[in-house]
Amino acid sequence: MKKTLYVINPNSNTGVTAGIDAALDILRQDDAPIIECVTLKEGPPGIQTQRDVDLAAVLVREFAEQHREDAAGFVTACFSDPGLHSLREIPDVLSLGISEGAALAAMILGRTFGVIAILDVSIPRHMRAWAAMGISDRVAGEVAIGRTVAELSDSEATLTSMIEAGKSLRDKHRADVLVMGCAGMARYRESLQQAVGLPVVEPSQATVAMALGRLRLGW
Amino acid sequence: MKKTLYVINPNSNTGVTAGIDAALDILRQDDAPIIECVTLKEGPPGIQTQRDVDLAAVLVREFAEQHREDAAGFVTACFSDPGLHSLREIPDVLSLGISEGAALAAMILGRTFGVIAILDVSIPRHMRAWAAMGISDRVAGEVAIGRTVAELSDSEATLTSMIEAGKSLRDKHRADVLVMGCAGMARYRESLQQAVGLPVVEPSQATVAMALGRLRLGW
Amino acid sequence: MKKTLYVINPNSNTGVTAGIDAALDILRQDDAPIIECVTLKEGPPGIQTQRDVDLAAVLVREFAEQHREDAAGFVTACFSDPGLHSLREIPDVLSLGISEGAALAAMILGRTFGVIAILDVSIPRHMRAWAAMGISDRVAGEVAIGRTVAELSDSEATLTSMIEAGKSLRDKHRADVLVMGCAGMARYRESLQQAVGLPVVEPSQATVAMALGRLRLGW
Amino acid sequence: MKKTLYVINPNSNTGVTAGIDAALDILRQDDAPIIECVTLKEGPPGIQTQRDVDLAAVLVREFAEQHREDAAGFVTACFSDPGLHSLREIPDVLSLGISEGAALAAMILGRTFGVIAILDVSIPRHMRAWAAMGISDRVAGEVAIGRTVAELSDSEATLTSMIEAGKSLRDKHRADVLVMGCAGMARYRESLQQAVGLPVVEPSQATVAMALGRLRLGW
Amino acid sequence: MKKTLYVINPNSNTGVTAGIDAALDILRQDDAPIIECVTLKEGPPGIQTQRDVDLAAVLVREFAEQHREDAAGFVTACFSDPGLHSLREIPDVLSLGISEGAALAAMILGRTFGVIAILDVSIPRHMRAWAAMGISDRVAGEVAIGRTVAELSDSEATLTSMIEAGKSLRDKHRADVLVMGCAGMARYRESLQQAVGLPVVEPSQATVAMALGRLRLGW
Amino acid sequence: MKKTLYVINPNSNTGVTAGIDAALDILRQDDAPIIECVTLKEGPPGIQTQRDVDLAAVLVREFAEQHREDAAGFVTACFSDPGLHSLREIPDVLSLGISEGAALAAMILGRTFGVIAILDVSIPRHMRAWAAMGISDRVAGEVAIGRTVAELSDSEATLTSMIEAGKSLRDKHRADVLVMGCAGMARYRESLQQAVGLPVVEPSQATVAMALGRLRLGW
């Protein structure tokens, strides 16, 4: 039986899941695990607070328990990596988080990376995560675009604010690489990269690509 | 109305809660908030895995939501500080975790502290926490006593294993201070300190004492 | 005999001592050690240089030697913590410094703290101290108000300059918490907090509250 | 025209190249770049000293210049990553080093990794590299097996010494993951993993898998 | 036979060598090793890229091999320290690099130093070097003057741009000390120091002075 | 008038001063500042506690004030660098401490250095100093020989204990270089180096050599 790599969007926003799903098409292959993107319907509408993250962590693990039979692996596809260390307690599957994966990908693209966050309130949480990973010296900084979920639906304005944040990370924080601090926004990656002139890491793509390579190795 | 400092044992083991409660008697005062130790009945019997921690985090926050009216503050009384950063999102109350509180207390007692953990599996989780706090340079190391919940009921053997771990931290890891990496074991503190000859921090006491001081200040 | 917690202002400015003393009233309790604030008459008029700090260190220790019989503990109440590590060589008393105590208090209020220093010349000294404590990753930065002792007597202008420094720490250094880098200025704490919108740590209060908690525990 | 991912063995030992080549078979795919493993005939017989590394760096870059037309990317397949930062100056190709790639792969498998080095003399060089990458906090330590090139031809004894080093990293250095600090030894990976009971990262496989994922993304 | 301290300019620019040579006159003594400044004719015209650094590393070591008989020591006089760790493999001679030497000299002049680089492209390379040395916490930052080799020949404009960079390091990066991130520019040192008001370290002088002291000790 | 480099032994032990003086003979030159080693008669008999260090700091600065007219510079010749940062407040002289100087010298001799301390009680103080310097990553560890002042007079036994400590630093702590953590013991340097097989830094010699180089430069 062919195994599945589950990419879990831990919020209940199916639009985000669709965005992730489309971005991963390029990685799908016949002789590789199925890539299935799922929405956690009981998840919060968006993951903004630590409370959201903690709740998502439980739901992500529950989902994984229900699907471990046919799972090749799990990717928790929210930039706070909810449930990542819990997923790793499940033996014989590979588990990754898109924040960790994006950071590792960025580290081969330049000395320091800057993160375009959605909300200011997430930045201290991200900073704790970078420190916990032991890679704070590689983080140039984070800049939030400060847009609510509603405001994110305006694509043009969202891209404009991401470009502005990216330029600030490039010029004030001296970032060599940009990381998009959110899932489901792959469609902006290329425009952002062109406008800012720095390599841009889209976290879901970066992480799933890494997962597939590891799954092919079988270890 | 007199406010309450809720000390939340996030596992369902009432014996642990009783141990915490007894240890805090010395800190109770008429003109200070009530100290109430509670057991989360829906919590896991013990908190060993990250899954346990994540589940506890949600339960701790739920409890806090239900008691925020009369709460002066909350202490999450498990050495993995489940729910701590979520608690801190509740405005106008003071929230602490016993792992963080113990570490801060240890930092005024010596240059480096060593942690007596219960299980080996918790050590990488603790290490991530120290790194996230930015205090890894103060951590001499951790040694687990490797006892199951059942085995912990044998007090004499437990103390013996804690002393052994403490001596290893003192001699091999060059710890200046010991931190008991578990709630509800205050009754061993003095014997351990005598046997090893290093100051020993009991995390619930250290953290609640800190909380009370801050509450008296009113900021 | 009731023991005393000596809070030592190591400069000879009795106005500073009075400011500290007033700020600690809220922490005085019948069933706790006496809190006695003392001025070291032989101390420098203000502690600005390393020479001042070194001299103060000797005087602080001398004072402690003379009062160790009835001392529950000592707090060295200058933001350079003069004599702190010497005080800790005295057995059976608890010794704290207000810089260390303020930092530990700030670390539970946010990820990074910024310090409002009095003079630029003190900042490298503080930075060495944070590094020696192993907590540099938690320090957002320091900004000096650049006022001489004489100028500090103008309360309104002092508050204005502290607010300006606080806003710079908040906006440019991304501090989550402010620490007042000086003893005896508790009267500005609340106005500063209101004006900047970040929690503000007053070091003498934070440290003495911590000391009292530890003394109550008896370890 | 199909592009090629060049995996450059910078020493002149064709046996090492053959070992790398065999290990990468599992990663070859019809719809992916050709994986071609090459030996640098002018390279040193083995890369042991910094002099060897510097010479190899020049040769690796020279090779890359000659093949940049049809190159999708370059992997410098020696654990000192000779020429890596020079390769990265070539625009429009992806360049990786197996030491960096192995470290990033190890960081998703556990908190700390230990490296099985060949010679003691390489360890300070590796330590400089981990520090330059800003990931020293994730490195548990390195242990050398201390075998010369001639001695490495004795497979059984080599495996035995690797297992011994691995157990030392697990027990004394508290490594959660092992990294094989040499190219061309993939055939020992599974036995080593079984014997030590920790996940083992083979650097060439880990790095090429990562490269292929990135090439598929096209960024 | 009197031994020689070879100061190797690894680029082919004899003007740079002459600048270094003149700056070292003050350090020449009858009873000390000869100080001989040499140009590597096969070196690149300037060392800007990592490729230049790697090539220079090989050439520097080759030069050293040819002169080890009468060498007291070697100084690799380019701010990327090409070949330094290779030189250190030669027994019984002392080898230093001007970047390392400048950093160590700066560390006794103030808490943090800022580097005036020539080109932006060198800054990540320098940052890797500071991290590899384990001294990143002492580095305030780097600012490039962004002048090509041709433009450097305009002395007045070069000094002006260095002063501007120095003031930016002083005011924005809070550097206590400036380091000139290039060999052969000692003639600007004093003017720069006067204009910026911070101590300025010239790397060739600082390093050769350190080398001579060590050679006199004989260890 | 020829200026003097004052090397201040801040304890009252003239034997230590004589040991320092003899060790510096090799650095004396006609065309360089006079090197004068002085004993602070009011200093403690030995510097063991922080109290001793603080007292010495004041005395060292007092001495410097009295001799600043003819001083080229000051070296505080005790491994706790008493008064170093106070000395640096005196303009127009160069001030160094032998602990800092030894560390900087060791950093060019190998990746990590280990310190042979006299007493265990000094080790946390040294560790604070390395952290304050921002170089903890270069410190392999410290091992004390645990000999009192009286016991140090037995040269043979002292050397034996230093060799034992040195071997422990080499084998258990993986030090590449040894630093003698005490002034006035230069006579053991060569025997120690031979016995342990690692380069050994004698702090007074290393620091004075560095000072003389800087004085010759005039900046």
Side-chain angles (χ1 to χ4, degrees), chain C residues 80-158:
Chain C
S80 295
D81 288 352
L84 175 59
H85 290 288
S86 175
L87 289 173
R88 287 189 173 150
E89 293 168 351
I90 305 175
D92 302 325
V93 297
L94 177 69
S95 293
L96 294 113
I98 64 166
S99 157
E100 187 184 68
L104 299 178
M107 286 165 75
I108 66 172
L109 286 168
R111 170 134 186 92
T112 60
F113 64 87
V115 177
I116 301 176
I118 303 302
L119 296 174
D120 263 321
V121 75
S122 305
I123 294 180
R125 186 167 68 236
H126 296 168
M127 290 300 185
R128 286 197 303 270
W130 306 135
M133 281 184 71
I135 59 166
S136 301
D137 287 350
R138 302 292 293 271
V139 180
E142 303 213 358
V143 171
I145 58 174
R147 296 181 74 78
T148 64
V149 175
E151 291 170 326
L152 287 174
S153 65
D154 179 345
S155 291
E156 201 174 332
T158 297

Side-chain angles (χ1 to χ4, degrees), chain D residues 14-161:
Chain D
T14 54
V16 168
T17 315
I20 298 171
D21 190 66
L24 299 181
D25 253 0
I26 198 174
L27 295 170
R28 290 185 162 103
Q29 291 180 274
D30 284 347
D31 66 342
I34 299 161
I35 300 174
E36 186 174 335
C37 298
V38 297
T39 308
L40 293 192
K41 285 173 198 161
E42 298 174 48
I47 292 184
Q48 302 184 346
T49 63
Q50 183 68 43
R51 186 190 201 175
D52 295 334
V53 175
D54 291 344
L55 180 58
V58 172
L59 296 173
V60 163
R61 176 70 186 260
E62 276 178 10
F63 176 89
E65 289 297 328
Q66 289 156 12
H67 294 79
R68 61 194 289 185
E69 287 305 311
D70 71 331
F74 299 102
V75 172
T76 175
C78 153
F79 205 73
S80 295
D81 288 353
L84 176 59
H85 290 288
S86 176
L87 290 173
R88 286 188 174 152
E89 293 168 352
I90 305 175
D92 302 324
V93 296
L94 177 70
S95 293
L96 294 113
I98 63 166
S99 157
E100 187 184 66
L104 299 178
M107 287 166 74
I108 67 172
L109 286 168
R111 171 129 186 95
T112 60
F113 64 88
V115 177
I116 301 176
I118 304 301
L119 296 174
D120 263 321
V121 75
S122 306
I123 294 180
R125 185 167 69 236
H126 297 168
M127 291 299 186
R128 287 198 301 271
W130 306 135
M133 281 184 70
I135 59 166
S136 300
D137 287 351
R138 303 292 293 271
V139 180
E142 302 213 359
V143 170
I145 57 173
R147 298 180 73 78
T148 63
V149 174
E151 290 170 327
L152 287 174
S153 64
D154 179 345
S155 291
E156 200 174 332
T158 297
L159 178 59
T160 300
S161 65

